[in-house]
Amino acid sequence: MERSASHIERLRDGSTVATIGGGPAGSFFAMHFLLQARARNMRMRAVIFEARHSPSRKHPGNLFGPYKGCPRCAAGISPRLHDALTELGMRIPGNILQKRIRSIAVSGDWKPVCLNIPEGREMLSVFRGTLPHARKLSHDSFDEFLIDTARRQGAELIGSSVNRIFYDNDRRPVICYDIAGQEKQLKVDFVVFACGVNAKITSGSGRESATGLFRALQPAYRPPPLRKALIVELAAPRDWPELRAGRLHYTESSTEDLRLEMCSILPKDGFFTVTLIGGSIDDAASKGDNLEVISKFLSTPPVRRILPASGEVHIRCICTPSISVGTSNMPYAHRAAAIGDMAATRLYKDGILAAHDMAKDLAGVILERGIDADAIAKGYGPTVSRFQSDNRYARLIFFLYRWIFASQTWSRIVYQTCASERKSKPQTRRSFEEIFWAISSGDKDYREIAWAMIRPATIWQILTGGLLITIRNQPVSYT
């Protein structure tokens, strides 16, 4: 039986909504919440807690200071994320933009498939934090740009971690945090958890983890399953051809003693950001193990063809963040919800866009439907379920992707299929190339990509434009 409208708890004019975490998820939520509230002629207060903006020691009385630190992310801006930024009226400034991606190269055990960025689409690279320190303008970061944009739209920033959170007698969340060594409290009407799965809590600080904080309001919450990634920042000569070309690489670099499932090399201004996922990363238990994996990866033939010689490339930064590879359980509660990778994300691709979409949807739900547990479950629950459903298709796609590019035969067939299509069709009618573009750029949902991969026309194209021509081109052996 549906509840009557009088029993649904709603935000009122002057309500306070807090976001714990000022990364992309938190900043995007504050932006969309304030924009949608103004569209409804509602006055709202949005507060963001972000520890990386903690006040400097010289000015301990301030509520926040300059951004410091790194959220440990490869930091690529996909075409769809660029579209979302454009819709918000945001243009990445030159001091934040690292490289405009001009093409994508997908390399297997044969020649690479090269994809130019289609007209009207944009792919960019940025640094999300202030590391590595060796780069120019290390104080300029994408995350600071986002949070500054949210502040210009009216959000308040508090540069502090959250120590604990609880419900008061009226079942309103109360957030406890430190400023200038003193604990403060903020009673809010709704709280958004956007801390991220890599939120660090100082040992002995008495603070709860991000998971522990949310479980104080929703004991049934279970975080998504996680997997380890290895991200390496490699300094390289700025005039190196691959950096000048702005080419993003995806490579199949597994060997007998190097088990990798996902390898990307993202160009930046004087750097390559290498991201590795796979069994060898999962098993690495120390810094030495990670360095050994990096050494093996850099010595593989596909990578040697991309990067400068060993004497010209230098490791400037290494991190091993956790990445979400599934969906959480019960990421919503009474007057509270989790977004970003605390809730769900897009498997292996475009986590920032996923955070944006969840933030936008949740903002609309709490303004339109209500802020009690039932309203959030009915309005925001389908958003989380949509990611869970789409990621089922992603697992099929990446299984086929790895299987194809680990085989020289199938790599050659796929390369030949692309080559045949380019000879026979104009750019606008290359459906097989479009599939590769969508997988590599994240420009479509996984469900749409999966169905495009297995449709009869695609299979026929592989057979006639790839397999048969490959067989015909095989050299004949005479005895």
Side-chain angles (χ1 to χ4, degrees):
M1 182 176 177
E2 291 288 329
R3 298 171 303 158
S4 66
S6 61
H7 289 96
I8 298 175
E9 296 192 48
R10 298 186 181 277
L11 295 174
R12 310 291 181 189
D13 258 7
S15 292
T16 298
V17 174
T19 301
I20 303 176
S27 295
F28 280 134
F29 174 82
M31 293 180 213
H32 281 293
F33 175 69
L34 291 170
L35 287 170
Q36 293 183 39
R38 282 195 285 270
R40 292 172 169 83
N41 295 316
M42 298 177 72
R43 295 175 298 104
M44 295 291 175
R45 182 188 182 196
V47 180
I48 301 173
F49 289 90
E50 177 48 65
R52 293 190 180 92
H53 271 285
S54 59
S56 67
R57 293 179 180 179
K58 294 181 180 180
H59 307 284
N62 291 351
L63 287 179
F64 63 90
Y67 187 99
K68 293 181 181 179
C70 180
R72 304 193 291 174
C73 175
I77 306 299
S78 72
R80 292 204 293 180
L81 177 58
H82 188 270
D83 291 344
L85 294 174
T86 301
E87 289 177 10
L88 284 166
M90 300 172 66
R91 182 178 179 273
I92 297 177
N95 60 318
I96 304 295
L97 175 63
Q98 288 293 308
K99 188 67 67 175
R100 196 174 300 277
I101 307 302
R102 302 296 184 185
S103 62
I104 301 174
V106 183
S107 303
D109 202 4
W110 189 247
K111 300 175 184 178
V113 175
C114 294
L115 308 165
N116 291 325
I117 306 303
E119 186 176 351
R121 309 305 288 147
E122 288 277 6
M123 289 189 77
L124 312 171
S125 66
V126 297
F127 281 105
R128 281 190 52 194
T130 56
L131 298 179
H133 293 307
R135 65 187 177 92
K136 296 188 303 182
L137 303 174
S138 62
H139 58 284
D140 293 323
S141 67
F142 180 69
D143 280 24
E144 185 168 26
F145 165 64
L146 291 181
I147 210 165
D148 283 349
T149 303
R151 287 182 55 230
R152 287 196 297 272
Q153 292 183 1
E156 301 172 32
L157 174 59
I158 297 177
S160 172
S161 298
V162 172
N163 301 334
R164 55 197 176 95
I165 189 167
F166 60 89
Y167 285 121
D168 69 0
N169 293 333
D170 297 326
R171 295 279 289 164
R172 290 178 64 192
V174 179
I175 298 172
C176 303
Y177 62 99
D178 288 335
I179 287 290
Q182 295 185 340
E183 184 175 88
K184 306 285 187 179
Q185 292 187 353
L186 178 67
K187 184 182 293 187
V188 300
D189 297 286
F190 193 87
V191 57
V192 178
F193 287 78
C195 322
V197 297
N198 288 292
K200 291 289 186 182
I201 303 300
T202 305
S203 178
S205 67
R207 300 189 184 101
E208 278 280 10
S209 66
T211 296
L213 283 172
F214 191 57
R215 281 180 176 162
L217 305 184
Q218 176 52 278
Y221 171 72
R222 294 293 180 273
L226 304 177
R227 194 174 190 187
K228 189 167 63 172
L230 178 60
I231 300 179
V232 187
E233 297 291 351
L234 300 173
R238 283 187 168 83
D239 60 354
W240 182 250
E242 289 296 327
L243 281 181
R244 292 204 315 268
R247 185 176 295 115
L248 168 62
H249 287 268
Y250 292 104
T251 69
E252 169 52 51
S253 302
S254 292
T255 62
E256 289 184 3
D257 58 348
L258 184 61
R259 293 170 293 121
L260 299 175
E261 299 172 19
M262 185 70 62
C263 313
S264 68
I265 303 175
L266 178 68
K268 294 179 179 176
D269 183 20
F271 289 85
F272 289 101
T273 301
V274 175
T275 304
L276 306 177
I277 301 169
S280 292
I281 313 301
D282 297 333
D283 295 342
S286 66
K287 181 179 180 180
D289 292 342
N290 290 326
L291 289 172
E292 184 178 357
V293 170
I294 295 168
S295 178
K296 290 178 180 178
F297 174 75
L298 295 179
S299 66
T300 58
V303 176
R304 288 204 307 268
R305 289 192 290 267
I306 298 168
L307 300 181
S310 59
E312 298 179 88
V313 64
H314 305 278
I315 297 174
R316 295 302 188 199
C317 189
I318 300 174
C319 63
T320 53
S322 296
I323 59 170
S324 172
V325 292
T327 307
S328 64
N329 182 59
M330 293 298 291
Y332 33 79
H334 179 72
R335 293 178 179 262
I339 60 175
D341 57 8
M342 280 190 69
T345 194
R346 198 161 185 253
L347 187 65
Y348 297 152
K349 293 278 183 180
D350 223 349
I352 303 177
L353 176 69
H356 166 272
D357 292 349
M358 281 183 271
K360 182 179 181 179
D361 286 358
L362 180 62
V365 167
I366 66 174
L367 286 165
E368 186 69 28
R369 284 178 168 265
I371 54 176
D372 56 279
D374 192 50
I376 302 301
K378 289 180 179 178
Y380 177 59
T383 297
V384 177
S385 296
R386 187 170 69 246
F387 283 101
Q388 183 178 33
S389 174
D390 201 46
N391 283 338
R392 294 192 184 102
Y393 293 95
R395 290 181 174 84
L396 170 63
I397 290 169
F398 289 120
F399 171 79
L400 293 172
Y401 182 93
R402 291 192 298 270
W403 179 68
I404 289 170
F405 283 100
S407 162
Q408 185 178 95
T409 299
W410 278 105
S411 293
R412 185 172 181 176
I413 290 170
V414 165
Y415 176 86
Q416 183 59 59
T417 305
C418 283
S420 299
E421 185 179 57
R422 286 173 177 174
K423 290 179 180 178
S424 61
K425 295 181 179 180
Q427 178 75 44
T428 55
R429 295 181 55 208
R430 295 174 187 169
S431 58
F432 192 76
E433 186 173 303
E434 186 178 344
I435 292 172
F436 267 89
W437 159 254
I439 295 173
S440 304
S441 66
D443 216 11
K444 291 183 179 179
D445 290 342
Y446 285 130
R447 180 182 184 277
E448 188 176 354
I449 296 171
W451 281 110
M453 289 174 69
I454 64 174
R455 66 187 179 189
T458 302
I459 296 172
W460 179 251
Q461 200 171 353
I462 294 171
L463 290 174
T464 58
L467 178 60
L468 292 179
I469 295 178
T470 299
I471 293 172
R472 188 183 65 192
N473 290 342
Q474 288 285 351
V476 179
S477 176
Y478 297 95
T479 58

